Amino acid sequence: MAHHPKGDFDLARAEWQRVGDVPADNGSVEVAFVDDLIGLRNSADPQGPVLVFTQAEWDAFVAGARDGEFDLA
């Protein structure tokens, strides 16, 4: 269990998902939805830190990504 100010993110119940066929050891991003929290981690370091988002934070992040808010170009 990862204790977090937003609530407890139950790592034992997390079913991590990655987009596409990228090998886990290449460091792709993985996401897991547990109850009302969303976890994000680096697949190359599965025992490393997990970023925890509320549903509202996740929705804002996804909307920003869709709108190009995070484009580096």
Side-chain angles (χ1 to χ4, degrees), residues 16-24 28-30 43:
W16 296 100
Q17 305 168 41
R18 315 189 270 289
V19 176
D21 295 328
V22 178
S28 59
V29 173
E30 293 181 324
S43 64

Side-chain angles (χ1 to χ4, degrees), residues 5 10 16 21 37 40 44 52 58 61-63 66 68 71:
D10 189 352
W16 296 100
D21 295 328
L37 296 174
L40 205 63
V52 178
W58 181 254
F61 170 73
V62 170
R66 285 187 181 140
D71 287 349

Side-chain angles (χ1 to χ4, degrees):
M1 182 86 58
H3 298 290
H4 193 277
K6 297 173 188 171
D8 290 336
F9 186 78
D10 189 352
L11 293 168
R13 293 181 36 228
E15 293 184 24
W16 296 100
Q17 305 168 41
R18 315 189 270 289
V19 176
D21 295 328
V22 178
D25 59 351
N26 281 2
S28 59
V29 173
E30 293 181 324
V31 64
F33 299 86
V34 178
D35 298 328
D36 59 346
L37 296 174
I38 296 95
L40 205 63
R41 73 178 185 183
N42 180 344
S43 64
D45 186 15
Q47 302 306 314
V50 174
L51 299 176
V52 178
F53 297 89
T54 64
Q55 187 64 56
E57 291 169 333
W58 181 254
D59 291 343
F61 170 73
V62 170
R66 285 187 181 140
D67 291 341
E69 188 176 323
F70 308 113
D71 287 349
L72 300 175

